Amino acid sequence: MKYLITGGAGFIGLKLTKELLKNYRNKVYIIDSLINNSENKKLSNVLKNKKVKLIKKDLNHISSLKIYDFDYIFHFAAVLGVKNVIDNPYTTLKENILSTISLINFSKKQKKLKKICFASTSEVYAYSLKSKLVKYPTPENIDFLISKDFNPRTSYLLSKVVGEYLMNYSGLNFVIFRPHNIFGPQMGFRHVIPQLTKKILQYSKNKIIIQNAKHKRTFCDINFAIDLILRISHSKNSRNSTFNIGSPDNEISIIDLAQKIKKILNSKKKLISSNIKKFNSPEKRKPDMKRSLRYSKIKHNFEKGLKETVMWYKEYYTK
Ligand SMILES: NC(=O)c1ccc[n+]([C@@H]2O[C@H](COP(=O)([O-])OP(=O)(O)OC[C@H]3O[C@@H](n4cnc5c(N)ncnc54)[C@H](O)[C@@H]3O)[C@@H](O)[C@H]2O)c1
């Protein structure tokens, strides 16, 4: 089968590419502007495989591409990252919507497309949760609430909500994924697990302040997420539906996560909880996984994934 993965040089897209290449009959095309990934060793290794091709392009400039025989299109490219989004809300909203429209136009020219699979986000639930308007853990079939305050962080979730609507109105067969805190080696440096690892390893002081310490999350190992994404995408039953992609485990507070990382690193530093709220971050986030788990065939292993990830970052930060 022939796959197109936008944002395929990124964390989730590249892992998906590697998984698809395990089947020698598959061909994978990646479209990525490489804005975040100009020097990615893992990408260069994957590109050694003749069954994968990188098209280094911004999604807004793909109208000249003359390939019409993709079976599946995965849309992972997006402007993201909390700080980046807060600093650039206009660009986030505009680019994410325009690039999705550009990809939908390209997808409509495809002759045998089975599905377009769109990565939305868990953030779409943020305001509905804050206003206590939805069940918790959050199921997929709820109404969205958008804040009146034009907080810059909203630009990202709004661009994803519009993306979901575009998928629904496009006339294409689609699947929507709402990923919740996916983690693994090479996830980038802006997420909580790499940042806590760096703090514990590199801060010269013996006391480390942990921000948003009481906030709670479930963290989903990338291997579990990829398995779910592939099974759901390939199933006939998933057509035109939306799925949470996350961990089915219990929540963990950020301070408890930091303690686990400290233990893996064998550190003696003291962790101090701080309640200073940073980046208007949601206090809790946990997906209802009932719908997605019907497709699952492997067990989620948070502890194993966390150890592998922390050790990967340890090697990176101390080399
Ligand atoms: N990682 C998570 O936990 C998580 C959570 C919620 C949602 N998501 C969504 O999943 C998707 C993948 O996330 P990720 O963590 O792999 O992100 P990532 O930043 O690692 O990868 C995104 C890739 O998209 C590329 N890109 C961005 N804009 C582009 C454009 N206009 N044209 C071409 N390429 C472009 C970047 O160069 C990058 O390689 C994103 O859409 C994100 O919003 C991820």
Side-chain angles (χ1 to χ4, degrees), residues 6-14 30-38 40 55-62 75-81 95-96 99-100 118-123 156 160 177-183 186-188 190-191 220 222 245 285:
T6 77
F11 169 52
I12 302 180
L14 195 59
I30 290 172
I31 296 181
D32 201 300
S33 57
L34 300 186
I35 40 169
N36 303 334
N37 290 292
S38 49
N40 184 336
I55 301 166
K56 190 181 166 202
K57 255 188 193 305
D58 189 297
L59 265 185
N60 290 306
H61 304 119
I62 55 167
H75 181 27
F76 288 120
V79 178
L80 46 83
E95 289 301 318
N96 287 351
S99 57
T100 301
F118 173 61
S120 178
T121 175
S122 56
E123 294 241 341
Y156 173 68
K160 293 292 190 176
F177 294 117
R178 295 185 184 145
H180 287 59
N181 294 89
I182 314 298
F183 74 95
Q186 290 192 295
M187 67 193 296
R190 56 184 176 237
H191 299 276
C220 178
I222 182 76
I245 299 293
R285 181 185 288 150

Short mmCIF file of all heavy atoms in Angstrom, two decimals, residues 6-14 30-38 40 55-62 75-81 95-96 99-100 118-123 156 160 177-183 186-188 190-191 220 222 245 285, ligand 1:
data_model
loop_
_atom_site.label_atom_id
_atom_site.label_comp_id
_atom_site.label_asym_id
_atom_site.label_seq_id
_atom_site.Cartn_x
_atom_site.Cartn_y
_atom_site.Cartn_z
N THR A 6 2.06 13.47 6.36
CA THR A 6 2.50 14.87 6.50
C THR A 6 3.07 15.03 7.90
O THR A 6 2.58 14.41 8.85
CB THR A 6 1.34 15.87 6.30
OG1 THR A 6 0.54 15.91 7.49
CG2 THR A 6 0.48 15.53 5.08
N GLY A 7 4.14 15.81 8.02
CA GLY A 7 4.80 15.91 9.33
C GLY A 7 5.51 14.60 9.66
O GLY A 7 5.75 14.29 10.83
N GLY A 8 5.88 13.87 8.62
CA GLY A 8 6.47 12.54 8.81
C GLY A 8 7.88 12.55 9.36
O GLY A 8 8.42 11.50 9.71
N ALA A 9 8.49 13.74 9.44
CA ALA A 9 9.81 13.83 10.07
C ALA A 9 9.68 14.10 11.56
O ALA A 9 10.68 14.12 12.28
CB ALA A 9 10.63 14.94 9.41
N GLY A 10 8.46 14.31 12.03
CA GLY A 10 8.23 14.62 13.44
C GLY A 10 8.16 13.36 14.30
O GLY A 10 8.35 12.24 13.79
N PHE A 11 7.88 13.56 15.56
CA PHE A 11 7.91 12.46 16.54
C PHE A 11 6.97 11.32 16.17
O PHE A 11 7.40 10.17 15.97
CB PHE A 11 7.58 13.05 17.93
CG PHE A 11 7.33 12.04 19.00
CD1 PHE A 11 8.25 11.02 19.25
CD2 PHE A 11 6.19 12.11 19.79
CE1 PHE A 11 8.03 10.09 20.26
CE2 PHE A 11 5.96 11.19 20.80
CZ PHE A 11 6.88 10.17 21.03
N ILE A 12 5.68 11.61 16.05
CA ILE A 12 4.71 10.54 15.80
C ILE A 12 4.81 10.05 14.35
O ILE A 12 4.79 8.86 14.07
CB ILE A 12 3.26 11.00 16.12
CG1 ILE A 12 3.16 11.46 17.59
CG2 ILE A 12 2.26 9.88 15.85
CD1 ILE A 12 1.79 11.95 18.02
N GLY A 13 4.95 11.00 13.41
CA GLY A 13 5.00 10.66 11.98
C GLY A 13 6.15 9.74 11.63
O GLY A 13 6.00 8.80 10.84
N LEU A 14 7.30 9.98 12.23
CA LEU A 14 8.48 9.16 11.90
C LEU A 14 8.35 7.75 12.48
O LEU A 14 8.73 6.76 11.86
CB LEU A 14 9.75 9.84 12.40
CG LEU A 14 11.05 9.29 11.82
CD1 LEU A 14 11.08 9.40 10.30
CD2 LEU A 14 12.27 10.02 12.39
N ILE A 30 6.81 11.01 2.68
CA ILE A 30 6.72 11.98 3.78
C ILE A 30 6.71 13.38 3.17
O ILE A 30 7.56 13.68 2.33
CB ILE A 30 7.96 11.87 4.71
CG1 ILE A 30 7.93 10.55 5.50
CG2 ILE A 30 8.07 13.06 5.64
CD1 ILE A 30 9.23 10.29 6.29
N ILE A 31 5.76 14.19 3.60
CA ILE A 31 5.86 15.63 3.27
C ILE A 31 6.17 16.35 4.57
O ILE A 31 5.40 16.23 5.55
CB ILE A 31 4.56 16.20 2.69
CG1 ILE A 31 4.23 15.54 1.35
CG2 ILE A 31 4.70 17.73 2.48
CD1 ILE A 31 2.96 16.07 0.70
N ASP A 32 7.27 17.05 4.61
CA ASP A 32 7.63 17.79 5.82
C ASP A 32 8.49 18.99 5.42
O ASP A 32 9.40 18.85 4.61
CB ASP A 32 8.40 16.88 6.80
CG ASP A 32 8.35 17.41 8.23
OD1 ASP A 32 8.83 18.54 8.46
OD2 ASP A 32 7.84 16.71 9.11
N SER A 33 8.19 20.12 6.02
CA SER A 33 8.98 21.33 5.72
C SER A 33 10.29 21.32 6.51
O SER A 33 11.15 22.15 6.27
CB SER A 33 8.16 22.56 6.10
OG SER A 33 7.80 22.47 7.46
N LEU A 34 10.40 20.38 7.45
CA LEU A 34 11.59 20.23 8.32
C LEU A 34 11.86 21.49 9.15
O LEU A 34 13.01 21.74 9.49
CB LEU A 34 12.83 19.85 7.50
CG LEU A 34 12.76 18.54 6.71
CD1 LEU A 34 14.11 18.23 6.07
CD2 LEU A 34 12.34 17.37 7.60
N ILE A 35 10.79 22.24 9.49
CA ILE A 35 11.03 23.43 10.31
C ILE A 35 11.61 23.07 11.68
O ILE A 35 12.41 23.79 12.22
CB ILE A 35 9.77 24.33 10.51
CG1 ILE A 35 8.52 23.49 10.73
CG2 ILE A 35 9.61 25.36 9.41
CD1 ILE A 35 7.32 24.28 11.18
N ASN A 36 11.19 21.92 12.22
CA ASN A 36 11.71 21.53 13.54
C ASN A 36 12.79 20.46 13.46
O ASN A 36 13.31 20.02 14.46
CB ASN A 36 10.59 20.95 14.42
CG ASN A 36 9.45 21.89 14.58
OD1 ASN A 36 9.63 23.09 14.48
ND2 ASN A 36 8.26 21.36 14.82
N ASN A 37 13.09 19.98 12.27
CA ASN A 37 13.89 18.75 12.18
C ASN A 37 15.02 18.82 11.17
O ASN A 37 15.25 17.86 10.45
CB ASN A 37 12.97 17.59 11.78
CG ASN A 37 12.03 17.23 12.90
OD1 ASN A 37 12.45 16.72 13.91
ND2 ASN A 37 10.76 17.53 12.71
N SER A 38 15.71 19.93 11.07
CA SER A 38 16.72 20.04 10.02
C SER A 38 17.86 19.04 10.22
O SER A 38 18.42 18.53 9.27
CB SER A 38 17.24 21.47 9.95
OG SER A 38 17.59 21.87 11.24
N ASN A 40 18.13 15.72 11.85
CA ASN A 40 17.54 14.59 12.55
C ASN A 40 18.18 13.30 12.05
O ASN A 40 17.92 12.85 10.95
CB ASN A 40 16.03 14.61 12.29
CG ASN A 40 15.30 13.55 13.06
OD1 ASN A 40 15.89 12.55 13.44
ND2 ASN A 40 14.03 13.76 13.30
N ILE A 55 9.55 14.39 0.71
CA ILE A 55 9.29 15.58 -0.11
C ILE A 55 9.39 16.77 0.84
O ILE A 55 8.53 16.94 1.72
CB ILE A 55 7.88 15.51 -0.75
CG1 ILE A 55 7.78 14.26 -1.62
CG2 ILE A 55 7.59 16.77 -1.56
CD1 ILE A 55 6.36 13.91 -2.04
N LYS A 56 10.47 17.51 0.70
CA LYS A 56 10.69 18.62 1.64
C LYS A 56 9.92 19.84 1.15
O LYS A 56 10.37 20.55 0.25
CB LYS A 56 12.20 18.92 1.72
CG LYS A 56 12.53 19.87 2.83
CD LYS A 56 13.98 20.19 2.90
CE LYS A 56 14.13 21.40 3.81
NZ LYS A 56 15.33 22.13 3.63
N LYS A 57 8.73 20.00 1.69
CA LYS A 57 7.85 21.06 1.22
C LYS A 57 6.93 21.51 2.35
O LYS A 57 6.57 20.72 3.21
CB LYS A 57 6.94 20.50 0.12
CG LYS A 57 7.31 20.93 -1.29
CD LYS A 57 6.21 20.46 -2.23
CE LYS A 57 6.63 20.55 -3.68
NZ LYS A 57 7.09 21.83 -4.12
N ASP A 58 6.52 22.76 2.29
CA ASP A 58 5.45 23.23 3.15
C ASP A 58 4.14 22.74 2.55
O ASP A 58 3.97 22.77 1.32
CB ASP A 58 5.47 24.77 3.20
CG ASP A 58 4.52 25.28 4.26
OD1 ASP A 58 3.30 25.03 4.12
OD2 ASP A 58 4.99 25.89 5.22
N LEU A 59 3.24 22.28 3.39
CA LEU A 59 1.97 21.74 2.90
C LEU A 59 1.17 22.75 2.08
O LEU A 59 0.33 22.37 1.28
CB LEU A 59 1.12 21.31 4.09
CG LEU A 59 1.19 19.86 4.52
CD1 LEU A 59 0.19 19.61 5.62
CD2 LEU A 59 0.92 18.93 3.35
N ASN A 60 1.42 24.01 2.32
CA ASN A 60 0.69 25.03 1.56
C ASN A 60 1.16 25.12 0.12
O ASN A 60 0.56 25.83 -0.67
CB ASN A 60 0.85 26.39 2.24
CG ASN A 60 0.10 26.42 3.55
OD1 ASN A 60 -1.09 26.13 3.59
ND2 ASN A 60 0.79 26.72 4.64
N HIS A 61 2.22 24.39 -0.22
CA HIS A 61 2.76 24.46 -1.60
C HIS A 61 2.81 23.09 -2.24
O HIS A 61 3.83 22.70 -2.82
CB HIS A 61 4.15 25.11 -1.59
CG HIS A 61 4.16 26.44 -0.94
ND1 HIS A 61 4.89 26.73 0.18
CD2 HIS A 61 3.45 27.57 -1.23
CE1 HIS A 61 4.65 27.98 0.55
NE2 HIS A 61 3.78 28.50 -0.29
N ILE A 62 1.72 22.33 -2.15
CA ILE A 62 1.76 20.97 -2.71
C ILE A 62 0.86 20.83 -3.94
O ILE A 62 0.68 19.72 -4.44
CB ILE A 62 1.39 19.89 -1.66
CG1 ILE A 62 0.03 20.16 -1.03
CG2 ILE A 62 2.48 19.76 -0.60
CD1 ILE A 62 -0.52 18.98 -0.25
N HIS A 75 -2.36 12.92 8.38
CA HIS A 75 -2.06 14.36 8.46
C HIS A 75 -1.58 14.71 9.88
O HIS A 75 -2.39 14.94 10.78
CB HIS A 75 -3.32 15.15 8.09
CG HIS A 75 -3.13 16.63 8.11
ND1 HIS A 75 -1.89 17.23 7.91
CD2 HIS A 75 -4.00 17.64 8.31
CE1 HIS A 75 -2.03 18.53 7.99
NE2 HIS A 75 -3.30 18.82 8.23
N PHE A 76 -0.26 14.75 10.03
CA PHE A 76 0.34 15.05 11.34
C PHE A 76 1.03 16.41 11.39
O PHE A 76 1.42 16.86 12.48
CB PHE A 76 1.37 13.97 11.72
CG PHE A 76 0.76 12.66 12.09
CD1 PHE A 76 1.05 11.50 11.38
CD2 PHE A 76 -0.12 12.58 13.15
CE1 PHE A 76 0.47 10.29 11.73
CE2 PHE A 76 -0.70 11.37 13.51
CZ PHE A 76 -0.40 10.23 12.80
N ALA A 77 1.25 17.04 10.24
CA ALA A 77 1.97 18.32 10.24
C ALA A 77 1.12 19.39 10.92
O ALA A 77 -0.07 19.49 10.66
CB ALA A 77 2.28 18.74 8.81
N ALA A 78 1.74 20.16 11.80
CA ALA A 78 1.01 21.27 12.44
C ALA A 78 2.00 22.20 13.12
O ALA A 78 3.10 21.78 13.50
CB ALA A 78 0.03 20.73 13.48
N VAL A 79 1.58 23.45 13.25
CA VAL A 79 2.31 24.37 14.13
C VAL A 79 1.87 24.00 15.55
O VAL A 79 0.67 23.93 15.82
CB VAL A 79 1.92 25.84 13.84
CG1 VAL A 79 2.64 26.79 14.78
CG2 VAL A 79 2.20 26.19 12.39
N LEU A 80 2.84 23.72 16.43
CA LEU A 80 2.48 23.30 17.79
C LEU A 80 3.56 23.67 18.79
O LEU A 80 4.50 24.39 18.45
CB LEU A 80 2.20 21.78 17.82
CG LEU A 80 3.17 20.83 17.11
CD1 LEU A 80 4.37 20.51 17.97
CD2 LEU A 80 2.45 19.55 16.76
N GLY A 81 3.40 23.16 20.02
CA GLY A 81 4.32 23.51 21.11
C GLY A 81 3.75 24.69 21.87
O GLY A 81 3.54 25.76 21.28
N GLU A 95 -1.97 28.97 9.78
CA GLU A 95 -1.21 27.91 9.09
C GLU A 95 -1.88 26.54 9.24
O GLU A 95 -1.93 25.79 8.28
CB GLU A 95 0.23 27.83 9.64
CG GLU A 95 1.10 29.00 9.26
CD GLU A 95 1.23 29.17 7.76
OE1 GLU A 95 1.39 28.16 7.05
OE2 GLU A 95 1.14 30.32 7.29
N ASN A 96 -2.37 26.25 10.43
CA ASN A 96 -2.96 24.91 10.61
C ASN A 96 -4.23 24.75 9.80
O ASN A 96 -4.51 23.66 9.27
CB ASN A 96 -3.22 24.64 12.10
CG ASN A 96 -1.92 24.38 12.85
OD1 ASN A 96 -0.85 24.23 12.24
ND2 ASN A 96 -2.00 24.33 14.17
N SER A 99 -3.07 24.80 5.86
CA SER A 99 -2.36 23.58 5.42
C SER A 99 -3.32 22.39 5.37
O SER A 99 -3.19 21.52 4.50
CB SER A 99 -1.14 23.30 6.31
OG SER A 99 -1.53 23.18 7.65
N THR A 100 -4.30 22.37 6.25
CA THR A 100 -5.29 21.27 6.22
C THR A 100 -6.16 21.40 4.97
O THR A 100 -6.45 20.39 4.29
CB THR A 100 -6.14 21.27 7.51
OG1 THR A 100 -5.25 21.11 8.62
CG2 THR A 100 -7.15 20.15 7.53
N PHE A 118 -6.59 12.26 10.48
CA PHE A 118 -6.21 13.60 10.94
C PHE A 118 -5.85 13.59 12.42
O PHE A 118 -6.64 13.13 13.26
CB PHE A 118 -7.38 14.56 10.69
CG PHE A 118 -7.19 15.94 11.27
CD1 PHE A 118 -6.14 16.75 10.86
CD2 PHE A 118 -8.07 16.44 12.23
CE1 PHE A 118 -5.96 18.03 11.39
CE2 PHE A 118 -7.91 17.71 12.76
CZ PHE A 118 -6.85 18.50 12.34
N ALA A 119 -4.67 14.13 12.76
CA ALA A 119 -4.30 14.26 14.17
C ALA A 119 -4.84 15.57 14.72
O ALA A 119 -4.35 16.65 14.40
CB ALA A 119 -2.78 14.23 14.32
N SER A 120 -5.88 15.46 15.54
CA SER A 120 -6.40 16.62 16.28
C SER A 120 -5.64 16.67 17.61
O SER A 120 -4.44 16.36 17.64
CB SER A 120 -7.91 16.45 16.48
OG SER A 120 -8.44 17.51 17.24
N THR A 121 -6.28 16.99 18.70
CA THR A 121 -5.58 17.07 19.98
C THR A 121 -6.52 16.90 21.16
O THR A 121 -7.71 17.20 21.06
CB THR A 121 -4.87 18.45 20.11
OG1 THR A 121 -4.29 18.54 21.41
CG2 THR A 121 -5.84 19.60 19.95
N SER A 122 -5.96 16.49 22.29
CA SER A 122 -6.73 16.41 23.55
C SER A 122 -7.14 17.80 24.03
O SER A 122 -8.06 17.94 24.82
CB SER A 122 -5.87 15.76 24.62
OG SER A 122 -4.65 16.48 24.77
N GLU A 123 -6.44 18.83 23.51
CA GLU A 123 -6.74 20.20 23.97
C GLU A 123 -8.16 20.64 23.60
O GLU A 123 -8.68 21.59 24.16
CB GLU A 123 -5.73 21.19 23.40
CG GLU A 123 -4.34 20.98 23.92
CD GLU A 123 -3.74 22.15 24.69
OE1 GLU A 123 -4.22 23.28 24.55
OE2 GLU A 123 -2.79 21.91 25.43
N TYR A 156 -4.39 27.13 19.00
CA TYR A 156 -4.04 25.75 18.60
C TYR A 156 -5.27 24.85 18.61
O TYR A 156 -5.59 24.18 17.62
CB TYR A 156 -2.95 25.23 19.55
CG TYR A 156 -2.59 23.78 19.39
CD1 TYR A 156 -1.93 23.31 18.25
CD2 TYR A 156 -2.87 22.86 20.40
CE1 TYR A 156 -1.58 21.97 18.13
CE2 TYR A 156 -2.52 21.53 20.29
CZ TYR A 156 -1.87 21.08 19.15
OH TYR A 156 -1.52 19.76 19.03
N LYS A 160 -7.47 23.01 15.49
CA LYS A 160 -7.75 21.57 15.41
C LYS A 160 -9.25 21.31 15.32
O LYS A 160 -9.70 20.40 14.63
CB LYS A 160 -7.14 20.85 16.61
CG LYS A 160 -5.62 20.87 16.65
CD LYS A 160 -4.99 20.04 15.55
CE LYS A 160 -3.49 19.87 15.74
NZ LYS A 160 -2.89 18.99 14.73
N PHE A 177 -8.08 11.51 15.11
CA PHE A 177 -7.44 11.06 16.35
C PHE A 177 -7.25 12.26 17.27
O PHE A 177 -6.86 13.33 16.80
CB PHE A 177 -6.07 10.44 16.05
CG PHE A 177 -6.16 9.18 15.25
CD1 PHE A 177 -5.60 9.09 13.99
CD2 PHE A 177 -6.83 8.06 15.76
CE1 PHE A 177 -5.70 7.93 13.24
CE2 PHE A 177 -6.93 6.89 15.02
CZ PHE A 177 -6.36 6.83 13.76
N ARG A 178 -7.48 12.04 18.55
CA ARG A 178 -7.17 13.08 19.54
C ARG A 178 -6.10 12.55 20.48
O ARG A 178 -6.41 11.91 21.50
CB ARG A 178 -8.43 13.47 20.32
CG ARG A 178 -9.49 14.12 19.43
CD ARG A 178 -10.67 14.61 20.23
NE ARG A 178 -11.70 15.13 19.34
CZ ARG A 178 -13.01 15.01 19.55
NH1 ARG A 178 -13.45 14.38 20.63
NH2 ARG A 178 -13.87 15.52 18.70
N PRO A 179 -4.82 12.79 20.15
CA PRO A 179 -3.74 12.25 20.99
C PRO A 179 -3.66 12.97 22.34
O PRO A 179 -3.88 14.17 22.42
CB PRO A 179 -2.47 12.54 20.17
CG PRO A 179 -2.95 12.90 18.80
CD PRO A 179 -4.31 13.48 18.96
N HIS A 180 -3.37 12.18 23.38
CA HIS A 180 -3.22 12.69 24.76
C HIS A 180 -1.82 12.37 25.27
O HIS A 180 -1.54 11.23 25.62
CB HIS A 180 -4.22 12.01 25.70
CG HIS A 180 -5.64 12.44 25.53
ND1 HIS A 180 -6.34 12.32 24.36
CD2 HIS A 180 -6.50 13.00 26.43
CE1 HIS A 180 -7.57 12.77 24.53
NE2 HIS A 180 -7.70 13.18 25.78
N ASN A 181 -0.95 13.35 25.35
CA ASN A 181 0.38 13.20 25.97
C ASN A 181 1.10 11.92 25.56
O ASN A 181 1.34 11.03 26.38
CB ASN A 181 0.27 13.27 27.50
CG ASN A 181 -0.17 14.64 27.96
OD1 ASN A 181 -1.37 14.90 28.07
ND2 ASN A 181 0.78 15.53 28.17
N ILE A 182 1.44 11.83 24.29
CA ILE A 182 2.20 10.69 23.79
C ILE A 182 3.69 10.93 24.11
O ILE A 182 4.18 12.05 23.94
CB ILE A 182 2.05 10.55 22.25
CG1 ILE A 182 0.58 10.70 21.82
CG2 ILE A 182 2.64 9.22 21.76
CD1 ILE A 182 -0.38 9.70 22.34
N PHE A 183 4.37 9.90 24.57
CA PHE A 183 5.78 10.10 24.89
C PHE A 183 6.64 8.95 24.39
O PHE A 183 6.16 7.84 24.16
CB PHE A 183 5.98 10.28 26.41
CG PHE A 183 5.86 8.98 27.19
CD1 PHE A 183 6.98 8.23 27.50
CD2 PHE A 183 4.62 8.51 27.59
CE1 PHE A 183 6.88 7.03 28.20
CE2 PHE A 183 4.50 7.32 28.28
CZ PHE A 183 5.63 6.57 28.60
N GLN A 186 13.15 10.66 21.62
CA GLN A 186 13.12 11.60 20.50
C GLN A 186 11.76 12.26 20.29
O GLN A 186 11.31 12.47 19.16
CB GLN A 186 13.59 10.91 19.22
CG GLN A 186 15.10 10.63 19.31
CD GLN A 186 15.67 10.23 17.98
OE1 GLN A 186 15.33 9.18 17.46
NE2 GLN A 186 16.56 11.03 17.44
N MET A 187 11.12 12.59 21.41
CA MET A 187 9.84 13.29 21.31
C MET A 187 10.04 14.80 21.20
O MET A 187 9.06 15.55 21.17
CB MET A 187 8.96 12.96 22.52
CG MET A 187 9.51 13.51 23.82
SD MET A 187 8.69 12.83 25.28
CE MET A 187 7.04 13.42 25.08
N GLY A 188 11.25 15.25 21.12
CA GLY A 188 11.52 16.70 21.14
C GLY A 188 11.92 17.12 22.54
O GLY A 188 12.08 16.26 23.43
N ARG A 190 10.40 19.98 24.24
CA ARG A 190 9.49 20.94 24.88
C ARG A 190 8.47 20.26 25.78
O ARG A 190 7.66 20.92 26.41
CB ARG A 190 8.79 21.78 23.80
CG ARG A 190 8.09 20.93 22.82
CD ARG A 190 7.44 21.66 21.66
NE ARG A 190 6.90 20.65 20.78
CZ ARG A 190 7.20 20.51 19.51
NH1 ARG A 190 8.01 21.33 18.93
NH2 ARG A 190 6.65 19.54 18.79
N HIS A 191 8.46 18.92 25.83
CA HIS A 191 7.44 18.23 26.63
C HIS A 191 7.93 17.99 28.06
O HIS A 191 9.12 18.09 28.34
CB HIS A 191 7.09 16.88 26.00
CG HIS A 191 6.53 17.01 24.61
ND1 HIS A 191 5.20 17.26 24.37
CD2 HIS A 191 7.12 16.92 23.40
CE1 HIS A 191 5.00 17.33 23.06
NE2 HIS A 191 6.16 17.13 22.46
N CYS A 220 1.00 8.38 27.48
CA CYS A 220 0.82 7.22 26.61
C CYS A 220 2.10 6.90 25.85
O CYS A 220 2.62 7.74 25.10
CB CYS A 220 -0.32 7.50 25.63
SG CYS A 220 -0.61 6.18 24.47
N ILE A 222 4.55 5.73 23.09
CA ILE A 222 4.44 5.86 21.62
C ILE A 222 4.14 4.52 20.94
O ILE A 222 3.37 4.48 19.97
CB ILE A 222 5.72 6.52 21.03
CG1 ILE A 222 5.62 6.73 19.51
CG2 ILE A 222 6.99 5.75 21.36
CD1 ILE A 222 4.79 7.85 19.07
N ILE A 245 -6.62 8.93 21.54
CA ILE A 245 -5.41 8.09 21.56
C ILE A 245 -4.66 8.47 22.82
O ILE A 245 -4.17 9.60 22.95
CB ILE A 245 -4.52 8.36 20.31
CG1 ILE A 245 -5.27 8.04 19.02
CG2 ILE A 245 -3.21 7.56 20.41
CD1 ILE A 245 -5.60 6.57 18.80
N ARG A 285 -6.15 15.93 32.70
CA ARG A 285 -6.44 15.46 31.34
C ARG A 285 -6.38 13.95 31.35
O ARG A 285 -5.39 13.36 31.75
CB ARG A 285 -5.39 16.03 30.40
CG ARG A 285 -5.60 15.64 28.95
CD ARG A 285 -4.47 16.13 28.09
NE ARG A 285 -4.44 17.55 27.88
CZ ARG A 285 -3.31 18.24 27.68
NH1 ARG A 285 -2.15 17.65 27.73
NH2 ARG A 285 -3.36 19.53 27.47
N1 LIG B 1 2.82 14.43 20.64
C1 LIG B 1 1.65 14.52 21.29
O1 LIG B 1 1.50 14.09 22.46
C2 LIG B 1 0.46 15.15 20.62
C3 LIG B 1 -0.66 15.50 21.41
C4 LIG B 1 -1.75 16.07 20.79
C5 LIG B 1 -1.76 16.28 19.42
N2 LIG B 1 -0.69 15.93 18.67
C6 LIG B 1 -0.75 16.18 17.21
O2 LIG B 1 -0.11 15.11 16.52
C7 LIG B 1 0.61 15.61 15.39
C8 LIG B 1 2.06 15.14 15.44
O3 LIG B 1 2.68 15.60 16.65
P1 LIG B 1 4.24 15.43 16.92
O4 LIG B 1 4.41 15.40 18.38
O5 LIG B 1 4.75 14.31 16.09
O6 LIG B 1 4.79 16.83 16.36
P2 LIG B 1 6.23 17.21 15.78
O7 LIG B 1 6.43 18.68 16.00
O8 LIG B 1 7.26 16.28 16.26
O9 LIG B 1 6.04 16.98 14.21
C9 LIG B 1 5.33 17.86 13.38
C10 LIG B 1 6.04 17.92 12.03
O10 LIG B 1 5.25 18.71 11.15
C11 LIG B 1 6.14 19.48 10.33
N3 LIG B 1 5.36 20.63 9.83
C12 LIG B 1 4.75 21.59 10.56
N4 LIG B 1 4.09 22.45 9.76
C13 LIG B 1 4.28 22.00 8.48
C14 LIG B 1 3.82 22.44 7.20
N5 LIG B 1 3.05 23.52 7.05
N6 LIG B 1 4.20 21.73 6.10
C15 LIG B 1 4.98 20.62 6.21
N7 LIG B 1 5.44 20.16 7.40
C16 LIG B 1 5.09 20.84 8.51
C17 LIG B 1 7.31 19.84 11.26
O11 LIG B 1 8.49 20.11 10.51
C18 LIG B 1 7.43 18.58 12.10
O12 LIG B 1 8.40 17.68 11.56
C19 LIG B 1 0.46 17.13 15.41
O13 LIG B 1 -0.55 17.49 14.49
C20 LIG B 1 0.02 17.44 16.83
O14 LIG B 1 -0.81 18.60 16.86
C21 LIG B 1 0.43 15.38 19.24
#
